[in-house]
């Protein structure tokens, strides 16, 4: 029996559309060059490093002034883009929640996203938000899943988890969770029906 459902954020609920094209356009730089730099330091940013520590090297490498105002602008834009939930995914979260099961989002993401949740109009549609920077742990560290299960107060075997990265699912499986590799909103819905969370 599944008693709680945990979703990843990036790709699973939010497509990340414009995540590199919009800041590249803002800076007036080549998107491919920006994309490479964006992902190169992302793990440390998601683990809790500061906006300045992440964005300044990107700006410097692109030949742009690393002004504090620009750093803040990029950090805020980044959070807004990652918090654009697809309507289909948002509906899925709502449908799961209507079953009476707690719904959580577990995301490797920086503090800027955690802060932006305060103003996100859908934030209260999820029961728990677990953001890696705020937790001090990132997926697939086993401690992440143990902490989430503790907060949810649900046996690990009763937690269903959807993520788009196999390594994150492997970490959850080590913790005893029931997992599914995301491929589409329709596939996620079908799997939740299969495990008895939603009616077919």
């Amino acid at each position: 029996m599944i008693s709680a459902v945990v979703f990843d954020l990036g790709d699973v609920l939010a497509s990340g559309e414009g995540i590199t094209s919009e800041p590249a356009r803002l800076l007036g730089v080549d998107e491919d060059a920006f994309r490479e730099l964006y992902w190169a330091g992302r793990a440390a940013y998601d683990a809790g490093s500061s906006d300045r520590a992440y964005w300044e090297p990107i700006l410097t490498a692109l030949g742009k002034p690393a002004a504090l105002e620009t750093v803040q602008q990029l950090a805020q834009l980044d959070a807004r883009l990652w918090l654009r939930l697809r309507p289909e995914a948002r509906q899925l979260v709502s449908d799961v929640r209507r079953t009476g099961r707690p719904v959580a989002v577990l995301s490797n993401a920086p503090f800027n996203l955690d802060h932006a949740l305060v103003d996100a109009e859908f934030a209260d549609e999820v029961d728990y938000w677990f953001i890696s920077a705020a937790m001090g742990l990132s997926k697939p560290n086993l401690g992440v899943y143990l902490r989430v299960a503790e907060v949810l107060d649900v046996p690990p075997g009763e937690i269903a988890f959807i993520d788009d990265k196999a390594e994150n699912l492997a970490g959850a499986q080590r913790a005893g969770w029931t997992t599914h590799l995301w491929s589409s909103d329709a596939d996620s819905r079908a799997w939740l029906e299969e495990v008895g969370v939603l009616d077919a």
Side-chain angles (χ1 to χ4, degrees):
M1 180 185 73
I2 299 299
S3 300
V5 179
V6 181
F7 294 91
D8 176 41
L9 178 62
D11 285 336
V12 175
L13 298 180
S15 65
E17 182 180 356
I19 201 67
T20 57
S21 63
E22 290 197 26
R25 184 164 54 250
L26 175 70
L27 294 171
V29 299
D30 177 73
E31 184 183 354
D32 289 339
F34 178 86
R35 183 186 299 110
E36 183 176 352
L37 293 164
Y38 178 89
W39 290 114
R42 195 69 190 189
Y45 196 29
D46 290 346
S49 67
S50 69
D51 291 339
R52 182 180 291 274
Y54 175 67
W55 291 107
E56 278 193 355
I58 292 176
L59 289 165
T60 300
L62 292 169
K64 297 293 181 178
L68 178 58
E69 180 182 358
T70 306
V71 167
Q72 291 174 338
Q73 188 176 15
L74 288 167
Q76 291 165 6
L77 174 61
D78 186 65
R80 286 199 305 273
L81 292 171
W82 278 122
L83 288 174
R84 288 180 179 171
L85 271 61
R86 295 188 306 277
E88 300 84 359
R90 189 170 174 178
Q91 184 61 55
L92 182 59
V93 168
S94 177
D95 291 346
V96 171
R97 205 173 183 213
R98 275 201 294 269
T99 70
R101 295 173 175 85
V103 173
V105 171
L106 172 59
S107 178
N108 284 353
F111 282 115
N112 66 336
L113 189 141
D114 194 39
H115 298 158
L117 284 169
V118 174
D119 298 318
E121 45 99 12
F122 57 81
D124 61 356
E125 296 175 18
V126 172
D127 296 294
Y128 300 94
W129 289 87
F130 297 97
I131 304 301
S132 59
M135 295 176 73
L137 289 170
S138 300
K139 297 177 291 184
N141 187 302
L142 180 62
V144 169
Y145 309 99
L146 298 178
R147 176 59 177 157
V148 171
E150 179 185 24
V151 172
L152 293 177
D153 195 23
V154 170
E158 297 180 16
I159 298 174
F161 179 48
I162 302 174
D163 198 294
D164 64 309
K165 293 183 172 58
E167 61 268 28
N168 294 339
L169 296 178
Q173 289 161 9
R174 287 194 296 274
W177 294 15
T178 300
T179 66
H180 183 69
L181 182 65
W182 180 88
S183 61
S184 69
D185 296 317
D187 181 66
S188 293
R189 181 175 291 277
W191 181 72
L192 289 169
E193 291 172 355
E194 181 183 325
V195 297
V197 172
L198 298 175
D199 294 329

